[in-house]
Amino acid sequence: MVLNYIWIAFFLIAFIIGLARLIFMGDAEVLPAMMDSTFDSSKTAFEISLGLTGVLSLWMGIMKVGEKGGIVNAFSRLLSPVFVRLFPEIPKGHPATGSIFMNIAANMLGLDNAATPLGLKAMEQLQELNPKKETASNAMIMFLVLNTSGLTLIPVSILVYRAQLGAAQPTDVFIPILLATFFSTLTGLIVTSLYQRINLINRTMLLTIGGLCAFVAFIIWGVGKMDREQIDLVSKLVANTLLLTVIVGFIVAGAVKKVNVYDAFIEGAKDGFTTAVRIIPYLVAILVAVGVFRASGAMDMLVDGVKVAVAACGLNTDFVEALPTALMKPLSGSGARGMMVDAMTAYGADSFVGRLSCIFQGSTDTTFYILAVYFGSVGIRNTRHAVTCGLLADLAGVLAAIGIAYLFFA
């Protein structure tokens, strides 16, 4: 229901602004540009879904092999003490626990191509437990908020963009991104727990959250002792080793359990193909709305309004030029990436705006895209408090990014 109102609002606001620009400013190009954006966005949505088909088939096939080979159940048992508190609706030892863990692990390592099919598999398993098939369950919402908060340990793509655009030290945003995304995830976890009345004040959760804080501190310490080449080498090695280990490990586990690995893979791959086709309408809906909103100039007006408001409060406005990246990130990952590159090109990769744009890009994930794809894949229409919790996590990430950027680079 929330996505419905947001979707309608995007079109109405864009149309009103576009019409006003035509009537009062004589801008004859705005309405054609808005109409062109609908075709371009529709094409992009289809291309994304088409590009996901092979990857989804591969990874859902591998997940099916792992499920029949017992690997997913092993992850479920390992994480049971934590997940039984965060996801009380999931029965102990259910395969969804393992799928959720693997999705989160893939996101943390920046393995987007692997994370999406793993997440869709987890959503399918959660939907099996959902008594109201068109309404998001608490477990689904908690899972998606953990996704949209965007916890990432190795933001390889951002570092590569900075290197390509001439940054003197491309890795100087690594620690700020790590800190900002951690605050975003922690906020998302706490806010969702409050909505769902989940008690986090217990030994298991305090030890887990404390351990994660210690782990983040260790990563920050380790990265501080590396140069750019070492970070690139280590991150690529870890990511690819993990990916290959998952594939080989699942196949070996299936063989040991005397599973027909090939048939199991084909069974899962068929589900992946079906899922890729099923999400096309949802992607078209959200990307077309975003495209029209951008083409109308509404995004530019929003940024200018924020700048005036910040200046009126007597605050520094240096961060405002980087806001398009933050505002676009919940809507479109590729759009936010374009905003980040544009900021670094216009202001310089080593400028405050350029660095802050990179921190924005790495601190959160594409909330509306994730909600559209994941909920769309299982036919969820009533998202309940998912959007609210996801956006609050995004807000925490944005505010943390601004404060951390001033701390490190102002």
Side-chain angles (χ1 to χ4, degrees), residues 4 7 16 60 87 127 132 157 170 181 210-211 244 247 287 295 315 343 395 397 403:
N4 174 54
W7 195 71
I16 292 171
M60 293 189 83
F87 301 93
Q127 180 70 331
K132 299 179 180 179
S157 61
T181 189
L244 189 58
I247 295 174
L287 291 185
L315 300 176
L395 178 61

Side-chain angles (χ1 to χ4, degrees), residues 115-199:
T116 299
L118 293 171
L120 292 173
K121 179 64 176 179
M123 285 297 289
E124 289 182 359
Q125 293 167 335
L126 292 174
Q127 180 70 331
E128 293 173 2
L129 301 171
N130 187 9
K132 299 179 180 179
K133 298 304 181 184
E134 293 191 354
T135 301
S137 65
N138 283 347
M140 287 179 172
I141 294 172
M142 176 63 80
F143 171 55
L144 287 190
V145 171
L146 292 177
N147 263 269
T148 61
S149 62
L151 182 60
T152 303
L153 296 182
I154 309 175
V156 178
S157 61
I158 296 175
L159 304 184
V160 170
Y161 278 117
R162 286 185 54 74
Q164 291 175 339
L165 292 172
Q169 182 63 18
T171 58
D172 59 7
V173 297
F174 181 90
I175 293 178
I177 288 175
L178 192 60
L179 294 173
T181 189
F182 180 72
F183 282 115
S184 174
T185 301
L186 189 61
T187 299
L189 176 64
I190 293 172
V191 170
T192 308
S193 296
L194 290 174
Y195 262 99
Q196 300 179 2
R197 294 183 172 88
I198 295 173
N199 181 21

